[in-house]
Amino acid sequence: MTTESLTVGVLALQGAFIEHIHMLKRIPEVKEVIPVRTEEQLNSVDCLIIPGGESTAMALIAERCNMLEPLRKFVQKKPTWGTCAGMIMLAKEATGAKKGGQQLFNALDVVVNRNQFGSQKESFQTMLHLPELVGEEPFAAVFIRAPVIKEIKSPKVKIVGRLEQKHGQTEAETAIAVLEDHLFATAFHPELTSDDRLHRFFVNMSLKYKQQN
Ligand code: GLN
């Protein structure tokens, strides 16, 4: 098996998947980018990005397309990056979930809180230092009705990004990016600027995983 190139899937049921696809196409190690809507497509990728959007809608569509169980299985063992709504989907538990609860992929051992910063008009952009992910140069992070990591449930979860300033009621230092084994989650939208460093980070992480497994 070749280890220098990667087939990356982007879950394309709902949300900002096109922007991720464009970003990935700029990275030389990415051999192919596949918008994933079926189990067959899911089985053909080395790793997966779950985009931002609306987690309740994404869960309903996944259920209707019979993709909930295949996705739950995939994220148990393959590198997956959840961004914003994707981070909610990856989590084992979400607060602020819709009445009656919502389906999640139940992998990342954290509790996330949905819509932490309020409505769309409370969206903001902020500079973050993410040295373990992208080096010393700050990263412009766009938060749109974003969640945060409210609680970490396992020592395997490593916080790799925190808010640097207070935003509304949300304290500085609140965790907004984590790693756990083959899982990566960010509360913001990394695909909405031209900075592809986080996509490169995820591609490298997935290549390493492919080499070792
Ligand atoms: N608030 C959305 C949700 O709960 C997430 C917003 C986003 O992905 N930009 O799913």
Side-chain angles (χ1 to χ4, degrees):
M1 196 196 304
T2 164
T3 48
E4 297 102 41
S5 65
L6 204 66
T7 301
V8 184
V10 182
L11 188 62
L13 298 177
Q14 194 272 337
F17 53 87
I18 305 266
E19 292 81 357
H20 279 291
I21 292 173
H22 288 156
M23 198 69 118
L24 288 163
K25 287 192 168 159
R26 292 167 25 182
I27 303 180
E29 292 84 357
V30 176
K31 185 181 69 182
E32 201 181 348
V33 187
I34 298 188
V36 171
R37 297 191 176 89
T38 65
E39 190 170 357
E40 201 184 347
Q41 289 162 340
L42 184 63
N43 288 335
S44 71
V45 301
D46 295 310
C47 59
L48 183 71
I49 295 179
I50 308 172
E54 179 54 52
S55 59
T56 51
M58 213 183 288
L60 283 174
I61 298 168
E63 203 168 3
R64 212 175 305 147
C65 303
N66 294 320
M67 283 295 280
L68 212 45
E69 286 315 315
L71 282 160
R72 282 183 176 148
K73 251 191 235 151
F74 184 94
V75 302
Q76 288 306 321
K77 50 179 201 307
K78 291 286 188 87
T80 306
W81 177 16
T83 66
C84 203
M87 173 169 106
I88 300 169
M89 295 307 302
L90 261 191
K92 284 194 176 164
E93 203 181 325
T95 55
K98 73 165 190 186
K99 249 194 176 159
Q102 63 186 81
Q103 300 284 357
L104 302 172
F105 299 153
N106 305 333
L108 188 65
D109 216 351
V110 298
V111 183
V112 298
N113 188 41
R114 289 183 66 214
N115 302 323
Q116 167 78 22
F117 303 93
S119 64
Q120 194 82 14
K121 66 180 195 304
E122 266 86 51
S123 299
F124 60 96
Q125 180 172 322
T126 190
M127 298 310 282
L128 298 175
H129 287 87
L130 307 167
E132 285 143 293
L133 307 175
V134 299
E136 292 307 319
E137 185 85 8
F139 190 91
V142 181
F143 287 77
I144 305 170
R145 287 180 301 114
V148 295
I149 313 269
K150 191 173 156 183
E151 211 183 317
I152 304 248
K153 297 283 218 178
S154 157
K156 289 208 266 176
V157 177
K158 187 172 172 216
I159 298 174
V160 286
R162 296 178 186 270
L163 274 187
E164 290 174 24
Q165 287 160 8
K166 185 169 176 171
H167 285 276
Q169 302 299 311
T170 310
E171 297 297 335
E173 297 297 309
T174 301
I176 42 75
V178 291
L179 285 167
E180 181 186 353
D181 299 329
H182 59 288
L183 302 174
F184 178 36
T186 52
F188 48 91
H189 281 258
E191 77 290 6
L192 296 180
T193 66
S194 57
D195 191 342
D196 59 13
R197 284 178 294 157
L198 278 178
H199 288 78
R200 289 176 188 276
F201 168 81
F202 180 64
V203 165
N204 284 333
M205 162 184 156
S206 302
L207 277 171
K208 263 188 223 146
Y209 183 90
K210 191 173 170 180
Q211 281 159 6
Q212 287 161 8
N213 290 276

